[in-house]
Amino acid sequence: MATTTTLANDIGLIVSSELVQGFFRNDEFFSLFRQTQAPPDTSYRWSVLTAGLTGTLKAEGDAFSAAQSTTDSRAVLGYHRHDSVVRVTDDLRAALGPSNANSYWQSLAEQVMQARKAVQQIIMTRWLGATAGTDGIQLAIDSTGTYAGLDHAAITGWAATETPVNAAQSYAALDDLLETLRDDPIRSKPTLWLFPENQITNYTRLSGAGVRQTLNIVSAGGEGNSFDIGPSGQQSFSRVPIVGVAELTDTVILAIVREDAVIQYRDDGLGQGLGWGTEEIPRGGYQTDVAINWYGHLCYKRPRYAGKLTGVTA
């Protein structure tokens, strides 16, 4: 029986080097907040002033006031290591071989990049949360619970302003939160709103035409028709910019002072900077594992000057 072989049977598959990401990996805080190298310790410690000095009005001849001292509490926030491990087998090295060295390094670089994204994803999940004992921003900006070893309810000047809305988003709720933060005795000046994406949609619908953009299409007859094409540019409320944060709890809105949030990373000498390191883990046999790791935390230094709305209808 004769077999016909076409040229197509002898041509190998040609695959583009471009890799298309088919799922979302969150790294938003890494670009939103400043990053600094942490002091060489297992935890970061800072003092929180909880009681200041008082002045006294005196008349001529009055005795001096009694001596005073300030009161402060010590906040302690530990650093955390996160990693993702890539396995490199001897079979892979042999298959790509010296003649295909570039392909080997390109493949390995792609795996390392994906491992780094995986690490950023687990870090963001932690930072967005409110789980006790973590460095999550919702735990920091709260009126109860413990953050950095200090009890929000027990330590003066540590609790954030928290309002249980338990209703749809409204201008009144946003206004009232800003008023509380800006007024005495807090006297804060929030610089960012953090909204989950669904609350940005709710804000756009609440605000109507004032925050929306129209597209004007002129027909052949010379008459123009306007079409609504959605939000226009950077949204803000009371001149405070709104930032959409994926995976933030759908029913929570945060008002923060951006400068109070800092990503602190440990440099453990493993080499890539900004807290990132690569470490080879010999496994024996015919394979080597490479750990991509990040060591650090998100620190929110002054919760009192931030606010949170909870129970906002999703």
Side-chain angles (χ1 to χ4, degrees), residues 144-162:
T144 60
T146 299
Y147 175 71
L150 301 181
D151 188 332
H152 284 300
I155 302 297
T156 302
W158 190 239
T161 298
E162 182 175 352

Side-chain angles (χ1 to χ4, degrees), residues 8 11 32 35 50 66 78 100 130 168 201 220 236 238 259 294-295:
I11 299 177
L32 183 62
Q35 300 185 44
T50 57
N100 294 313
T201 299
S236 64
S238 194
E259 293 73 19
W294 188 87
Y295 194 15

Side-chain angles (χ1 to χ4, degrees), residues 222-241:
E223 296 181 357
N225 295 304
S226 294
F227 298 88
D228 186 347
I229 59 172
S232 174
Q234 173 68 59
Q235 291 180 310
S236 64
F237 178 79
S238 194
R239 297 189 177 183
V240 178

Side-chain angles (χ1 to χ4, degrees), residues 122-143:
I122 193 64
I123 293 172
M124 282 297 302
T125 299
R126 181 185 180 94
W127 286 352
L128 286 169
T131 304
T134 70
D135 46 351
I137 195 168
Q138 291 190 63
L139 182 66
I141 303 173
D142 207 290
S143 60

Side-chain angles (χ1 to χ4, degrees), residues 1 14 25 48 69 82-83 91 98 104 135 158 170 182 184 193 198 214 217 219 234 252 259 278 294:
M1 180 176 177
I14 299 176
R25 291 296 198 190
V48 180
S69 62
H82 310 75
D83 71 19
D91 287 341
Y104 169 73
D135 46 351
W158 190 239
S170 67
R182 288 172 170 170
D184 179 69
W193 290 102
N198 66 299
T214 59
I217 298 178
S219 65
Q234 173 68 59
V252 169
E259 293 73 19
T278 303
W294 188 87

Side-chain angles (χ1 to χ4, degrees), residues 10-304:
D10 295 327
I11 299 177
L13 292 176
I14 299 176
V15 181
S16 169
S17 61
E18 179 184 8
L19 183 65
V20 177
Q21 188 86 13
F23 49 86
F24 174 65
R25 291 296 198 190
N26 196 347
D27 62 355
E28 293 170 343
F29 280 3
F30 283 93
S31 57
L32 183 62
F33 299 134
R34 61 193 172 98
Q35 300 185 44
T36 63
Q37 185 169 334
D41 202 346
T42 57
S43 298
Y44 177 68
R45 298 168 175 83
W46 71 103
S47 295
V48 180
L49 187 65
T50 57
L53 306 179
T54 59
T56 306
L57 176 63
K58 295 290 184 178
E60 186 175 355
D62 287 349
F64 287 109
S65 301
Q68 307 172 67
S69 62
T70 60
T71 303
D72 64 271
S73 297
R74 183 67 49 82
V76 181
L77 193 64
Y79 303 111
H80 304 281
R81 185 185 297 277
H82 310 75
D83 71 19
S84 183
V85 178
V86 175
R87 175 156 293 174
V88 182
T89 66
D90 287 348
D91 287 341
L92 174 60
R93 290 174 175 165
L96 293 171
S99 61
N100 294 313
N102 289 338
S103 297
Y104 169 73
W105 289 113
Q106 181 179 349
S107 176
L108 180 57
E110 182 60 49
Q111 293 302 309
V112 169
M113 184 179 71
Q114 291 302 320
R116 180 166 172 156
K117 289 182 178 181
V119 171
Q120 288 177 317
Q121 175 67 50
I122 193 64
I123 293 172
M124 282 297 302
T125 299
R126 181 185 180 94
W127 286 352
L128 286 169
T131 304
T134 70
D135 46 351
I137 195 168
Q138 291 190 63
L139 182 66
I141 303 173
D142 207 290
S143 60
T144 60
T146 299
Y147 175 71
L150 301 181
D151 188 332
H152 284 300
I155 302 297
T156 302
W158 190 239
T161 298
E162 182 175 352
T163 304
V165 176
N166 299 324
Q169 184 188 145
S170 67
Y171 285 147
L174 298 171
D175 264 330
D176 289 347
L177 180 59
L178 284 184
E179 179 185 343
T180 301
L181 291 172
R182 288 172 170 170
D183 205 356
D184 179 69
I186 301 175
R187 208 61 176 151
S188 175
K189 187 178 180 181
T191 58
L192 280 183
W193 290 102
L194 300 186
F195 277 42
E197 290 294 337
N198 66 299
Q199 294 298 346
I200 288 185
T201 299
N202 292 342
Y203 178 73
T204 301
R205 291 171 179 168
L206 179 71
S207 303
V211 297
R212 301 188 75 87
Q213 180 177 353
T214 59
L215 176 66
N216 192 57
I217 298 178
V218 180
S219 65
E223 296 181 357
N225 295 304
S226 294
F227 298 88
D228 186 347
I229 59 172
S232 174
Q234 173 68 59
Q235 291 180 310
S236 64
F237 178 79
S238 194
R239 297 189 177 183
V240 178
I242 297 172
V243 175
V245 180
E247 299 180 343
L248 183 63
T249 305
D250 284 350
T251 56
V252 169
I253 292 175
L254 303 176
I256 71 168
V257 179
R258 186 178 187 179
E259 293 73 19
D260 286 344
V262 56
I263 296 171
Q264 295 181 311
Y265 58 86
R266 288 284 308 276
D267 184 2
D268 56 7
L270 294 179
Q272 297 178 344
L274 296 179
W276 290 98
T278 303
E279 188 169 4
E280 186 173 304
I281 310 170
R283 297 292 194 190
Y286 302 98
Q287 60 199 23
T288 300
D289 289 352
V290 178
I292 312 302
N293 60 73
W294 188 87
Y295 194 15
H297 64 205
L298 173 65
C299 178
Y300 199 89
K301 295 187 176 182
R302 302 188 303 167
R304 176 174 171 78

